[in-house]
Amino acid sequence: MTDVTSLEAWLADARAAHHALQLGRQTVSVRFGDRVVEYAPANVQALAGYIASLERRIAAARGRRGPAVSPYVRTIG
Protein backbone atom coordinates (compact mmCIF):
# COMPACT_ATOMS: atom_id res chain seq x y z
CA MET A 1 0.00 0.00 0.00
CA THR A 2 1.19 3.50 -0.78
CA ASP A 3 1.90 5.80 2.15
CA VAL A 4 -0.20 8.91 2.78
CA THR A 5 2.73 11.25 2.09
CA SER A 6 3.10 9.88 -1.45
CA LEU A 7 -0.65 10.04 -2.03
CA GLU A 8 -0.74 13.66 -0.87
CA ALA A 9 2.17 14.58 -3.16
CA TRP A 10 0.44 12.92 -6.12
CA LEU A 11 -2.80 14.72 -5.22
CA ALA A 12 -1.02 18.10 -5.15
CA ASP A 13 0.50 17.40 -8.60
CA ALA A 14 -2.86 16.29 -10.00
CA ARG A 15 -4.63 19.38 -8.64
CA ALA A 16 -1.93 21.64 -10.14
CA ALA A 17 -2.33 19.87 -13.49
CA HIS A 18 -6.11 20.26 -13.33
CA HIS A 19 -5.68 23.97 -12.61
CA ALA A 20 -3.29 24.35 -15.56
CA LEU A 21 -5.80 22.68 -17.90
CA GLN A 22 -8.53 25.00 -16.64
CA LEU A 23 -6.26 27.95 -17.47
CA GLY A 24 -5.90 26.74 -21.05
CA ARG A 25 -2.72 24.64 -21.16
CA GLN A 26 -2.96 22.14 -23.99
CA THR A 27 -1.38 19.21 -22.15
CA VAL A 28 -0.14 18.50 -18.63
CA SER A 29 1.85 15.63 -17.17
CA VAL A 30 1.16 14.01 -13.81
CA ARG A 31 3.74 11.76 -12.16
CA PHE A 32 2.82 9.12 -9.61
CA GLY A 33 5.49 6.71 -8.56
CA ASP A 34 7.42 5.70 -11.64
CA ARG A 35 4.53 6.41 -14.04
CA VAL A 36 3.79 9.60 -15.95
CA VAL A 37 0.39 10.27 -17.51
CA GLU A 38 -0.38 13.14 -19.87
CA TYR A 39 -3.79 14.77 -19.85
CA ALA A 40 -5.33 17.17 -22.36
CA PRO A 41 -8.49 19.27 -22.16
CA ALA A 42 -10.40 16.47 -23.91
CA ASN A 43 -9.81 14.12 -20.96
CA VAL A 44 -10.06 16.54 -18.06
CA GLN A 45 -12.82 14.34 -16.58
CA ALA A 46 -10.36 11.45 -16.34
CA LEU A 47 -8.02 13.71 -14.39
CA ALA A 48 -10.89 14.75 -12.12
CA GLY A 49 -11.64 11.08 -11.50
CA TYR A 50 -8.00 10.43 -10.63
CA ILE A 51 -8.08 13.34 -8.15
CA ALA A 52 -11.25 11.99 -6.53
CA SER A 53 -9.66 8.53 -6.32
CA LEU A 54 -6.59 9.93 -4.55
CA GLU A 55 -8.80 11.85 -2.13
CA ARG A 56 -10.68 8.64 -1.27
CA ARG A 57 -7.45 6.69 -0.79
CA ILE A 58 -6.07 9.39 1.53
CA ALA A 59 -9.29 9.45 3.54
CA ALA A 60 -9.23 5.65 3.84
CA ALA A 61 -5.58 5.66 4.90
CA ARG A 62 -6.44 8.15 7.63
CA GLY A 63 -9.28 5.95 8.84
CA ARG A 64 -12.12 8.14 7.66
CA ARG A 65 -15.31 6.47 6.59
CA GLY A 66 -17.96 7.57 4.17
CA PRO A 67 -17.63 9.34 0.85
CA ALA A 68 -15.28 12.26 0.56
CA VAL A 69 -16.79 15.18 -1.32
CA SER A 70 -14.44 16.45 -3.98
CA PRO A 71 -14.77 19.78 -5.76
CA TYR A 72 -13.46 17.92 -8.82
CA VAL A 73 -16.48 15.66 -9.12
CA ARG A 74 -19.66 17.21 -10.43
CA THR A 75 -22.98 16.18 -9.03
CA ILE A 76 -25.48 15.22 -11.68
CA GLY A 77 -29.13 15.65 -11.12
Side-chain angles (χ1 to χ4, degrees):
M1 176 172 244
T2 307
D3 64 277
V4 175
T5 303
S6 294
L7 291 171
E8 288 175 336
W10 298 346
L11 179 58
D13 289 345
R15 285 179 173 164
H18 189 270
H19 180 72
L21 285 177
Q22 295 298 321
L23 293 177
R25 292 235 351 237
Q26 293 303 305
T27 60
V28 294
S29 297
V30 177
R31 177 177 297 278
F32 55 101
D34 59 348
R35 291 186 60 201
V36 176
V37 178
E38 286 195 1
Y39 292 95
N43 58 2
V44 71
Q45 291 298 351
L47 179 55
Y50 174 61
I51 290 170
S53 170
L54 287 172
E55 290 172 337
R56 286 189 303 273
R57 289 175 65 187
I58 290 169
R62 290 184 175 157
R64 295 186 188 145
R65 298 187 66 188
V69 177
S70 172
Y72 295 95
V73 178
R74 289 187 211 174
T75 54
I76 298 174

